Amino acid sequence: GTADAMKSTMQLVILAVMLASASAVTTFDASTKDDTRSSYRATDADATATGNLDVALKVSQDVKEIKDILAVPPIVYTDVKAKYIANLKSLAEDTPTTEPAWKNFMEHYATEGGANFITDYFNKAIAGTAPGFTDANSRKEMIEKTVLDMLGMHLVLSALWQAQAANDKALWDRGAALFIGKSMVGETDGTQTSTTYGRAQKRGGNYGTLHLTTGEAKVNTVVITALNAGRDAANSAEMLVQYNVVLHQYKVLYSQATLRYANKIDEALALSETDLKDLQAEGQAFYRVIAPWVKEGDEPSAALLKDMFNTAKPTSYSANNYNYCAAKAALMKALPAVTQDEMGTYAEVTGAGSWTLDKSTIVCTTPPVPKADIVTTAGTYTPTSHVGASLAYSEAVKVAQAGITDATTAATHEALYNSFVNTGIKGVADVDRTGEPDFNLFAAYFGSKKWLSAKFEATTGSAPVAATATTPATLAWVATYSPTEASARAEVQSKMMQDNIAVMAVLSDLYKASVENDAVIRHAYWDNGAAKYMGTANANGKTVYARAQKRAFNYGTNTSDVAKVNLKIVAAFKAGQGKEKSVMAAQLAVIRDQIKVIYAQATLRYANSIAVDLATGSAYAEHRGEGSIFYDGIAPYVKAGDPAGDLLVKAFFDVDSGVTPESFNYWSYCAVKRVMEKFLGATLIADMGTLEKTVDSWCNSGVDAAPTALAKITTAAGVYTPATDVGSSMAFSDAVKVVKGTVSDTSATPNVMADKAYASTGIMGAVDKKRTGETLWDMYKTFYGSSVWVSNLVMKATKGTAAGFTFAASRAEVVEKSVMDAAAVQLIVGDLYTGAQGTTAAHRVYWDRGAAKYLGSVNGASSTVYARANKRAKNYGTKDATSSEAKANHAVIVALNTGAISTTVAARTAEYNNILTQIQVIYSQATLRYAHLIDTDITAGTDHKEHQAEGYAFWRVIAPVVGMVADNANGADYIEAIFNPARMPTGTDHYCLVKIVLDKQMLPAADMGTLEGTLPDCTGKTVPANAKAMIPGDSPSPGTTPSPGTTVGSGASLGSSWTFVWAAVFGIALVMM
C-alpha cells in the first residue's frame, strides 16, 4: 500500500541522484537490436515516468560495468563491490516486502540474509572465504548471476507487482524497461546482455526456441506481449493476469538455465575435466532464482538440486547423465506448469547438437532416487545423503556393456568407446586421486594415473593417429590390446567398467570419508561409496556386489543366497555410516580386505579355467582376458608383499606377451592358489573358500608348492637359469609322473584312469595342439597321417583291443613311453623351435620352457627326457666321468644356456640343432637297446612282448627323422616292422639290423657309445629288402586302420612321402643329422 509506494518513491529519488546526466526520454521504445522483434512503448504520462524509465534503463548499464570488471583478470573485487554499493545495493535491499515473490524468497533464504539475501550472497562471493565461495572462477559466476539474474528478476517482478496493485502504468513501464534494458537500434554495445531479455536470448539459442525469422526467444516474445497487454489493461485485475504470465516465464527461463548447467557438469565429468566448480557455481546461481518455487512444488526435488549445485561439497562423479536426467525429472515434478513446449529441446543433449562423442541423443531413464533405501540380499542401507549420482554408475555400466561385441570393425570400436565416454564411466576412471593410498599404489604399479581408461582405450584403438601435412589427426580404431583376440578384449572391457573402475571409485569415496573433518561431507562420501558398491535395483547385476555374489557361489562361501563377503561388506558400510573418522577408517579396512577376497577368488577361478581350456584343447583367450583384468584389480597389493608371485600371475594372464599360456598337473591353479594364499594371509584365507570342481590333492595336499623355475633349475649335469618363471613347464614332469602312476602290468591297467589322467593333467591338450609351421611337427604329422599321433597311440594302448595291444605290460609301456618320451620330445622341440625364431623376451620364454620341460621338477625328475638320457648313458657307457650324468645331458644343458644368451637367430638355431642331435642320440640308444632285448628274449625263450612295446614307443620318437636319411626308408620300415606289437618278431639279428639303419644317421660314435653286455658280430648283415611287407596290416599309424595294401608309415610311405618332406625341411634336417 502506501508504505510500498513511499519506499518506491525513495528508490527513484536515490537513483536519480546517482545519474550523472540523465537523458530524459518522453517515449520508451524497447525494440531490441532491430525493429523486427517485440517492442514496448512507454505510456509517457509525465516527467516522473520519464525519470522512472531512465533509472530502470541505467540498471542494465550498472550491471554491465560490473561484468566488465569481472571479465578482466585479475579481478579487483573491491572495485566490483564499490560498483554494487554505489549503484545496485539499495535496489537489492529496498524491494517491497508485500510483493509475494519477494516475500517467498525472503522466507526461503531466511538463514542466508533474509531480506538482504541478494547482498548476503553477493558479499560471500566477494569475500571468497565462506565454504563454497573460495574458488575464483566460481565467485565470478556467482557475482554476475546475482546482479544480472536474481536481482534483475526481482526488480522486474517488484515493479510489475506494484504497478498492478496501484494500477500505475508508469511503474509498469519501469518493469518493462528493467526487463529489456538499454539498447539502441543498430547498436551492439552489449548492454542488452546484462538484462533478463539478454539471458533469455541465450537460453533460447540453447533450447531451440528462437523465432526462425526474428531470432527472438519465445520467453521474450511471451513476456513483452504480456507487458504490452498489462500496459493496455483496463484495471489492476487484468494487469495481475499479465504479471503472472511474466512470473511464469521466469520459471521457464531459469528452469532452462538450471537444466543446462546440470548437463554441463555431466559433460565435463564425462570428458575428464577436473575444474568443475565454476559450472556448479553457475548452476547454483541460476537455480537460486527459482529454488523457492521448486521447493513449494516438491521439497525433495529442491533438496536434490540444491545438493547437485552445492559448491561447498566435492563434486559427485556421476555417470549415465545423472545430473541432467535427475534435474530434468526434479524440475518437471516441482514445476509441472512449465511445459516441454515452453522449455524447448536442449540442443546439447539431442542429435547432431549433442556434446556426446557420437552426437547421439541423451535418453533419460528414470534416474535413481537420491536418498531412498538401497536394498540388497545382504541387507538394506539407508543413505542420509544424496547418492543418486553414485547409484547411476551401475546404470551406466549396464548401458555401456550392452555395446560390447566381438566384432572388430572401426565402427564397433568407435561406438563402444563413445559409450564409455558418454555414459561418464571414463570420467570416473580418470579422476586424479593423488594422495589416496590405493590410488597411489595402483598408479605407481601401472605407471600412469589413467591406467584404467588407458587399457580400455587400447581395446578400442582410440589412440590418435598423428596429423600429417595434409590430414588432421584421426583415430585409427584398431585395437592395440589383444589385437587378435576379440573375446579377450570384450571381457576386459566389461570387467574394467563393472569391477576395476568401480572398485577404485568405491575405495576413493570411503578413504576421503575417513579423513574428512566436515561431518556432512564425510557422511556424503561414505554414503556414495556404499551406493557405488551396491548400485540400483535395476542394475544391481552390474556392480561389485554382484561380482561377489557370483564368486561366492563358485567357492561355496555363500549363506543361502548371499555371499558372506557381501554380508561383511554391507555390515561394514552400516557400521561406518555417520560415524567419526576413526570408525570409518576401521570399516574401510574391512571393506578393502573383502574386496581383495573377491578378486583373489576371481583370479584363481580363471587360472583354473585356462588350465581346463588347455587340457581340453578349448579356446582360452576369453578366460585369459577375464583373469587378466580381475588380477589387475589386486595386482599392486600382491606385488607389495610378494613381487615374485605378482610376476608369476601377471605373466600367466598376459594377453599381449606373445606367449601362449600353459599348465600341467594343475600348475596354474596350484601356483596361483599359493600366491593368493600368501596375499590374503592367515586372516582372510578362510574367506576364500574352495573353488568348485577342484580338489586339494591337485596341489599335493598343501605340502609341496607348485614347481617354480625361480631362481634356477639345478641338476647334477649343470644349472639353467630362465629369464622368467616357467614352473608351468617344469610341472610337465609332474604330470607325466601322475600318468605313470595310473598304469601297471596288471590286466586291469592301463584303463580309463590313465585316459583321465592323461587329459586332466594337461598333457593331451598340449600335445594335441596344432603347431602348423613348426618344421618337425609338420614332418611328424605327415609321417603319421595325423596331428594327434601321440594321443592316438595312448588311447589305443589304454583301450587294449587292437591287435598287439591286449597284453597289459605292453600297453603300460606304450602309455608310459608315449607320455614321458614322445609327448615330451614333441613339446620340448616345439618350444625350442619357437624360441629359436627370434631373440625377443617372448622368444626367450619359449626357449626357457623347452629347457624346463627337458629338465623337469624335483618331484618329477624321474619322469623326464633328462632321466631317460641318464638311463641310456648307463647302458651305453656315455656317462660323464665327473658327474656320472649322461654326456647327452651335459651337452643339452650347454646348448640350452648358450642358446639362451644368443643374440642372433642363427646362433640360437645352431644350439637348437645341437639339442636335436642329442635327442636323436638318446632315442637311437633306446631303440637299439630294445632291439637287442628282443634278441635276448627270443634266445632265452622268454616273452618278448613288453620289450617289443617299449622299443616301439621309443622308436616312434625318432622314426620320421631316421627315415629321412638317404637310402634309409627301407631300413626305417624294417625297424617299424620288428617293433610293431601286432607282429611276432623272428630271428636274433634285430640288434645288428637296427644298428645298420641307425648308423646311417651318422651320429657321433662317442655320443652313441657302446651297448653294455655281449653283443653279436654284425659282419655281413643286411636289412631285408622290401621291409614294408613285414609290417602287419594293422598299421602302425595309431588309431587308424589302413586300406588293404596300404601301410601308413611303411617303407612305401617313407620312400614317397619323405621325398616331399625332405625337400621342405632340408636345411634344418641336414644339421640335425
Side-chain angles (χ1 to χ4, degrees), residues 798-822:
T798 57
K799 187 176 182 181
T801 58
F805 288 87
T806 58
F807 184 58
S810 297
R811 294 163 57 204
E813 295 297 346
V814 169
V815 171
E816 178 180 320
K817 273 64 180 180
S818 292
V819 174
M820 176 175 166
D821 300 276

Side-chain angles (χ1 to χ4, degrees), residues 5 100 126 216 225 302 397 401 472 512 524 537 642 756 785 788 812 874 957 1055:
I126 289 290
E216 185 171 68
T225 298
V397 173
Q401 281 185 346
K512 284 184 283 195
D642 184 11
K756 184 177 180 181
V788 292
K874 181 180 179 181
V957 177

Side-chain angles (χ1 to χ4, degrees), residues 921-941:
V921 166
I922 297 166
Y923 291 98
S924 292
Q925 288 176 329
T927 300
L928 184 57
R929 179 172 184 260
Y930 282 88
H932 182 258
L933 288 174
I934 291 174
D935 288 343
T936 302
D937 290 335
I938 293 174
T939 299

Side-chain angles (χ1 to χ4, degrees), residues 200-221:
Q201 285 299 113
K202 285 186 175 181
R203 293 298 84 86
N206 301 139
Y207 282 82
T209 59
L210 298 178
H211 191 279
L212 292 177
T213 303
T214 66
E216 185 171 68
K218 184 184 291 186
V219 164
N220 284 332
T221 301

Side-chain angles (χ1 to χ4, degrees), residues 967-1004:
D967 299 324
N968 215 23
N970 184 64
D973 281 338
Y974 172 77
I975 298 177
E976 175 68 33
I978 68 164
F979 283 125
N980 193 301
R983 176 182 178 277
M984 173 69 74
T986 59
T988 57
D989 54 359
H990 299 95
Y991 168 83
C992 290
L993 300 184
V994 168
K995 187 175 186 300
I996 291 169
V997 176
L998 295 177
D999 283 349
K1000 287 191 176 183
Q1001 297 177 97
M1002 300 180 68
L1003 296 171

Side-chain angles (χ1 to χ4, degrees), residues 680-927:
L680 294 177
T683 303
L684 294 176
I685 194 61
D687 295 340
M688 180 88 165
T690 300
L691 180 61
E692 59 192 345
K693 299 179 182 178
T694 66
V695 293
D696 285 344
S697 61
W698 288 0
C699 305
N700 298 320
S701 301
V703 177
D704 297 324
T708 176
L710 293 177
K712 59 187 177 182
I713 307 172
T714 302
T715 74
V719 171
Y720 182 83
T721 303
T724 55
D725 191 340
V726 286
S728 56
S729 290
M730 296 178 74
F732 177 79
S733 61
D734 294 345
V736 171
K737 184 178 180 180
V738 170
V739 177
K740 287 168 60 180
T742 65
V743 299
S744 70
D745 290 351
T746 64
S747 59
T749 63
N751 54 24
V752 69
M753 292 296 293
D755 287 350
K756 184 177 180 181
Y758 177 61
S760 65
T761 57
I763 298 175
M764 183 177 181
V767 80
D768 284 356
K769 181 182 177 182
K770 288 182 173 61
R771 301 198 302 275
T772 303
E774 291 182 16
T775 306
L776 284 179
W777 189 86
D778 290 339
M779 178 195 305
Y780 277 60
K781 176 179 177 293
T782 301
F783 179 77
Y784 288 115
S786 170
S787 63
V788 292
W789 68 90
V790 176
S791 293
N792 281 344
L793 185 57
V794 171
M795 296 300 108
K796 189 174 184 179
T798 57
K799 187 176 182 181
T801 58
F805 288 87
T806 58
F807 184 58
S810 297
R811 294 163 57 204
E813 295 297 346
V814 169
V815 171
E816 178 180 320
K817 273 64 180 180
S818 292
V819 174
M820 176 175 166
D821 300 276
V825 167
Q826 284 300 314
L827 296 178
I828 291 166
V829 169
D831 283 339
L832 295 178
Y833 174 85
T834 303
Q837 302 310 299
T839 56
T840 67
H843 290 103
R844 176 63 190 275
V845 171
Y846 282 107
W847 188 264
D848 289 347
R849 284 182 175 182
K853 289 185 180 75
Y854 184 92
L855 302 173
S857 69
V858 173
N859 176 61
S862 63
S863 300
T864 59
V865 176
Y866 180 98
R868 185 69 68 206
N870 279 341
K871 285 188 175 183
R872 294 298 81 88
K874 181 180 179 181
N875 301 139
Y876 280 82
T878 52
K879 295 195 299 182
D880 180 81
T882 301
S883 69
S884 295
E885 300 289 286
K887 292 179 180 178
N889 283 333
H890 279 272
V892 167
I893 292 174
V894 169
L896 287 172
N897 280 301
T898 305
I901 62 173
S902 296
T903 58
T904 66
V905 170
R908 189 169 285 177
T909 299
E911 300 308 323
Y912 163 77
N913 288 323
N914 289 336
I915 294 167
L916 293 184
T917 297
Q918 293 306 314
I919 289 174
Q920 280 183 272
V921 166
I922 297 166
Y923 291 98
S924 292
Q925 288 176 329
T927 300

